[in-house]
Amino acid sequence: MISAELAQQKLLAWLEQNEPHYNSELQLLKQPFSSPGYHTALRDVPYVHPTRESLAYAVTLLNSGIPHYQERGCAILEKVISLQDTDRSRPTHGIWSWFYEEPLDKMAPPDWNWADFCGKQLILAAMHHNDVMSPGLKSRLRDAIFRACNAIILRNVGPGYTNISIMGAFVTLLAGEVYYYPPYRDYGLQRLKDFHAHTLRLGTFEEYNSPTYTTVAIAELSSLHAKTKNEVARRLTAELLNVAWRMVAEHFHVPTRQWAGPHSRSYDKLLAPKFLSFLQIALDGEIRFIPDEELIFEPNWYESGMSCPEPYRSYFIEPHRQHARQCIYENQAKQIEKHATLFMNEAYALGTVNKEIMWNQRRNLLAYMNNGGESAYMQLQCLHDGYDYAAAVITSQQNEGDVLYGISFSTNGGDTHSSLDRIKGQVKAQDLRIRLEFGGCLDGVGVKVLDERRAQVQLGEHTICVQNVLSEFRVSPSKTGWEWRQQDGCLYLDYILYNGPEQTFDFTKMKRVGLIFALSLGNQEKWLPVELADHNDHWTAQGSNGETSWKIAIRHKPATVDELLSVQT
């Protein structure tokens, strides 16, 4: 942990930076509007007043110890509590909308995670700042926390939803302790036990290797470990923190200072300064990714007690070579098993997952490359009219820097989201393509399209050779094949499936649809030999590097997401 003096300096500087964003009339924090494209129906709104961020701001104001800041923090608590749904007849009872500007019944749909996110901030306020609250606010705060706990318990998220499973345990267990209410305490402890058993059985978090949510999980587990009075909970959180830190350490690529893939959920292509700040704080400043004065302040980090265990600290300092495969999900009833593979050396880190949907938060094939001391990345996407197409499914196998990957199309997957906008077999499109996006430091980049099947990217000392082995996507009229361009600081190498007037693609009527590619990343030109076979209802592709061979299989016919994920290779 950084010193208490520096932590207080960062806290006060953060509050000063946010001073212009406080709306004293609404008693909420104002921020520029941004959206992941789901839950909120707001569009083209310049500013919004978010509930979650306002509560985090309120708790930070209370943590400052400065009377006029604490008075403002109490006012924000009052305001946000008043925005909670208190109608027991509604399914949204106990949660909040994202924004003051958008009531719950206008969201598309409401986000039940807000019981967890907002409930967490309220319980932190109740634990540490009751002494500055009026009797009325204390009572209203207790009622709001209880409503959030009831919403969390009613929803009862399973252990596969890593960060929400942890956060719900945090809120309910600590609410039970603060208010001496055994039903919440017992539920929270059992939820933590269930998450612990699930995680240790799998050997990792099911929400695997997510820069965003692993840092959230570490902060939540660290804070719960520090604040709970329950010794069983302290033991469980300590063991879970070891799992989390091992995952982070093994994926940190020292030469590029990047968090190697694959990522189950991510919002960035390159590691944001926020996450480097997180690591620097948790490493007690043993390594300086950024100067102390540039450390990002995140509410709740500095008092969570988070600290990287000693056995994993060297992973962030010394380059290490790694070739690992990890089971990250299994469902025996559906015969689905997902594995993540990572190969890392001093030049690059390449990570893949063998079965997954192509949602925009997934990083299913992700490479980080050291380009003259700076970082470059390569990411695979399937795009529908320019946005990640979640109904597509990747199948892949990786051997060091060589990957075979296939793209299939589901009949019931999501369009822009994994589940909120399912396609019901059909989708309208003007453009469908498979993209390799390159970004970061692109010094020395060049592209060669050798023929209709093969393309090559030279990026500094790195050579990426990609070849289309199978292309069964028959749409007429349509331009197909490789296309590339540089735009907005990125290089896009696209394999076009369709580009033309809007058409309806009915996947339920298609008999043979699928694509297979072979990719090699290294320091010289290398075309992976691939043997393609057409079977009764599926294709197989087998790659070989002379010493090792591996293969993938994809179905001829589009099917449900579960059916595509269950295909065995």
Side-chain angles (χ1 to χ4, degrees):
M1 290 295 294
I2 63 173
S3 69
E5 181 182 358
L6 180 56
Q8 184 68 2
Q9 289 175 6
K10 290 291 180 182
L11 183 151
L12 294 177
W14 187 83
L15 290 175
E16 185 176 341
Q17 291 168 5
N18 278 280
E19 188 70 25
H21 308 305
Y22 177 62
N23 185 328
S24 58
E25 292 184 13
L26 288 181
Q27 296 174 320
L28 294 169
L29 200 63
K30 182 176 75 172
Q31 291 184 342
F33 172 70
S34 64
S35 163
Y38 42 84
H39 283 307
T40 179
L42 293 179
R43 298 290 185 272
D44 302 321
V45 178
Y47 292 96
V48 288
H49 294 82
T51 51
R52 177 182 61 176
E53 288 77 3
S54 292
L55 281 178
Y57 177 56
V59 173
T60 309
L61 289 163
L62 293 168
N63 288 342
S64 72
I66 298 172
H68 76 274
Y69 274 157
Q70 292 182 315
E71 182 179 347
R72 180 185 295 180
C74 290
I76 296 171
L77 288 179
E78 290 274 22
K79 182 66 176 185
V80 179
I81 288 170
S82 75
L83 299 175
Q84 186 184 32
D85 188 346
T86 60
D87 186 346
R88 291 182 177 274
S89 69
R90 289 162 51 94
T92 51
H93 175 253
I95 73 171
W96 288 260
S97 64
W98 281 6
F99 309 119
Y100 172 81
E101 289 75 10
E102 184 177 38
L104 280 165
D105 57 4
K106 299 295 184 182
M107 292 184 68
D111 189 348
W112 273 262
N113 290 346
W114 255 233
D116 307 81
F117 281 114
C118 295
K120 172 204 164 184
Q121 299 300 331
L122 295 180
I123 197 64
L124 289 173
M127 290 186 76
H128 301 298
H129 303 295
N130 259 324
D131 58 326
V132 300
M133 297 182 196
S134 69
L137 176 55
K138 290 180 187 179
S139 176
R140 287 185 286 276
L141 178 61
R142 177 187 182 277
D143 291 345
I145 289 171
F146 275 41
R147 285 190 290 267
C149 286
N150 291 337
I152 290 168
I153 293 169
L154 181 64
R155 187 184 181 202
N156 198 31
V157 163
Y161 198 164
T162 301
N163 75 99
I164 297 301
S165 185
I166 295 169
M167 202 172 299
F170 181 104
V171 175
T172 51
L173 176 57
L174 292 182
E177 291 184 3
V178 169
Y179 294 110
Y180 305 100
Y181 190 65
Y184 292 160
R185 180 200 63 205
D186 296 345
Y187 173 85
L189 181 60
Q190 186 59 52
R191 181 157 164 162
L192 184 64
K193 288 179 179 178
D194 292 344
F195 177 74
H196 175 271
H198 178 83
T199 300
L200 266 61
R201 183 169 57 251
L202 194 61
T204 188
F205 291 164
E206 191 170 310
E207 203 165 60
Y208 179 72
N209 194 41
S210 164
T212 301
Y213 294 110
T214 302
T215 52
V216 169
I218 288 173
E220 300 303 324
L221 289 167
S222 299
S223 187
L224 182 54
H225 181 82
K227 298 178 189 305
T228 183
K229 300 172 185 176
N230 188 291
E231 287 304 315
V232 174
R234 286 178 56 81
R235 176 180 61 81
L236 297 176
T237 51
E239 292 176 5
L240 288 165
L241 282 164
N242 187 70
V243 172
W245 276 113
R246 183 181 70 244
M247 180 170 61
V248 179
E250 289 177 349
H251 285 83
F252 192 76
H253 189 233
V254 173
T256 59
R257 292 187 171 183
Q258 296 297 322
W259 190 320
H263 302 153
S264 66
R265 295 180 70 188
S266 184
Y267 299 94
D268 302 300
K269 309 294 176 67
L270 294 167
L271 198 61
K274 169 182 173 179
F275 299 116
L276 290 173
S277 295
F278 173 91
L279 294 174
Q280 187 163 315
I281 293 165
L283 289 163
D284 303 317
E286 285 186 16
I287 182 168
R288 291 288 195 276
F289 297 115
I290 51 180
D292 280 349
E293 59 271 17
E294 296 178 17
L295 281 173
I296 305 295
F297 177 87
E298 182 74 11
N300 305 324
W301 277 2
Y302 291 91
E303 294 186 6
S304 69
M306 64 185 190
S307 180
C308 177
E310 190 62 38
Y312 302 123
R313 295 191 171 214
S314 64
Y315 285 77
F316 299 95
I317 301 169
E318 297 294 333
H320 55 284
R321 182 183 175 92
Q322 183 132 345
H323 194 186
R325 193 168 187 258
Q326 166 77 52
C327 179
I328 61 174
Y329 175 87
E330 58 182 355
N331 185 319
Q332 293 182 354
K334 295 181 178 180
Q335 295 185 310
I336 298 173
E337 192 171 288
K338 301 177 186 178
H339 292 265
T341 301
L342 168 66
F343 177 73
M344 181 187 297
N345 59 24
E346 290 199 16
Y348 65 85
L350 174 62
T352 60
V353 65
N354 72 321
K355 291 281 186 181
E356 193 52 272
I357 62 171
M358 300 290 284
W359 184 29
N360 75 328
Q361 290 187 28
R362 305 286 192 228
R363 302 290 181 265
N364 297 321
L365 187 159
L366 178 67
Y368 290 113
M369 295 160 280
N370 183 358
N371 189 15
E374 299 293 329
S375 300
Y377 71 83
M378 173 181 67
Q379 180 200 348
L380 177 69
Q381 298 170 280
C382 179
L383 300 179
H384 164 210
D385 291 345
Y387 195 86
D388 298 80
Y389 185 51
V393 173
I394 185 174
T395 300
S396 78
Q397 289 292 338
Q398 175 186 347
N399 183 69
E400 296 191 350
D402 299 327
V403 185
L404 278 175
Y405 59 94
I407 306 295
S408 303
F409 295 89
S410 72
T411 56
N412 70 335
D415 184 359
T416 64
H417 188 271
S418 58
S419 61
L420 296 180
D421 55 356
R422 294 189 181 276
I423 65 168
K424 299 180 182 179
Q426 298 181 350
V427 66
K428 293 181 178 180
Q430 296 178 340
D431 189 273
L432 288 169
R433 63 184 62 206
I434 311 299
R435 169 170 291 175
L436 283 170
E437 177 183 309
F438 297 81
C441 178
L442 296 182
D443 293 349
V445 71
V447 182
K448 296 178 183 177
V449 175
L450 302 177
D451 52 46
E452 62 180 13
R453 294 283 187 180
R454 299 183 302 155
Q456 181 177 305
V457 177
Q458 190 71 38
L459 181 56
E461 298 179 353
H462 306 280
T463 303
I464 300 94
C465 297
V466 57
Q467 54 186 314
N468 173 242
V469 178
L470 169 75
S471 181
E472 284 276 354
F473 199 92
R474 296 171 183 170
V475 180
S476 182
S478 176
K479 171 188 175 182
T480 60
W482 293 108
E483 177 181 278
W484 70 274
R485 71 181 188 277
Q486 284 189 262
Q487 182 179 329
D488 301 326
C490 294
L491 169 69
Y492 303 127
L493 177 60
D494 297 340
Y495 190 83
I496 309 297
L497 304 181
Y498 176 76
N499 180 262
E502 184 175 83
Q503 283 198 27
T504 297
F505 293 86
D506 189 342
F507 292 102
T508 65
K509 296 180 178 178
M510 297 182 183
K511 303 298 184 184
R512 292 171 62 91
V513 179
L515 299 112
I516 295 177
F517 298 85
L519 180 147
S520 292
L521 167 59
N523 59 7
Q524 60 185 355
E525 182 175 335
K526 176 184 177 183
W527 299 98
L528 186 67
V530 180
E531 183 178 321
L532 181 69
D534 191 341
H535 304 277
N536 184 45
D537 61 355
H538 68 282
W539 296 281
T540 60
Q542 180 167 306
S544 173
N545 61 8
E547 299 177 357
T548 305
S549 64
W550 61 103
K551 70 176 180 179
I552 61 171
I554 64 170
R555 297 170 61 116
H556 287 165
K557 186 175 172 57
T560 67
V561 170
D562 284 349
E563 288 171 331
L564 295 178
L565 292 176
S566 68
V567 173
Q568 302 298 307
T569 60

